[in-house]
Amino acid sequence: FVMILALESVFDQCSVAFVDLAGNVVAEQTLTGNRLQTQQILPMIHALMTASSIDWSQLTAIAFNRGPGAFSGIRINTAVAQAIAFAHDVPCLPVSSLQAIAQSAFELQQCPHVLALTDARMSQVYAGEYAMSDGIMQLVAGATEHLLDYDSVIDKDLALVGNGATLVNAQLGQAIFADIRPSAAIIAKIGLALYQQHQSVPAELALPVYLRNNAWKTLAEQQKA
């Protein structure tokens, strides 16, 4: 009996889930509307393990939201995933926040082709075009995750999903689903697909994705400033 631990703290929430390799959610908890993830995430993991009689020996891999998105949330996800992976010698499954938004939009709103958008601040959004393929929303051929300006005009007839959907210029009548906040269970579902495709990585390669170069200064850079 083996399973994936999934972590999500990028969307202004703290969400943890355990999913078995058949895709069944064994345990899940999400606390929303706060920024206390650093204090919450480890106790949540231990509480779920205790309540569901899960042992570390059952852990197969760790799926985590690797961004792009809120810098602090990405760092929390990445640091906890790496620490647990090192401690228990399991691989990591880095999941795109934009892919998670797209997957949630499909499951909640039945949107099979979307432009996932999340606020990147600085008058920009993170963007990625996704379409359904074999049960998982995937980047369309030739597409990349990238930055768009708020005043960009979206002239493709796609549903706009995620909290950046209302920040860009949509066409009249274009479907908009801004209130999409993927849980750890969605991260786990995408992570499981990555695991089945042998796309796990060792802890040292489980890296965050910010998209914006030099958006976060290193400690050394901060001290010089």
Side-chain angles (χ1 to χ4, degrees), residues 7 62-67 74-86 90-95 199-210:
L7 311 173
I62 304 169
F64 70 101
N65 186 340
R66 51 80 162 159
I74 294 171
R75 289 196 302 277
I76 293 166
N77 267 350
T78 305
V80 173
Q82 286 182 327
I84 295 175
F86 273 123
V90 295
C92 291
L93 301 161
V95 173
Q199 293 187 38
S200 61
V201 298
E204 63 269 21
L205 297 181
L207 303 175
V209 171
Y210 295 122

Side-chain angles (χ1 to χ4, degrees), residues 176-200:
I176 294 176
F177 300 103
D179 190 22
I180 299 285
R181 182 182 286 168
S183 68
I186 291 291
I187 300 295
K189 183 166 190 172
I190 299 171
L192 178 58
L194 293 172
Y195 181 79
Q196 292 169 339
Q197 296 160 12
H198 307 290
Q199 293 187 38
S200 61

Side-chain angles (χ1 to χ4, degrees), residues 1 11 18 24 53 56 64 78 123 126 131 161 171 173 192 207 215-216:
F1 187 58
F11 296 108
F18 285 90
N24 303 305
S53 299
W56 288 117
F64 70 101
T78 305
S123 298
Y126 302 113
V161 301
Q171 299 178 86
L192 178 58
L207 303 175
W216 184 256

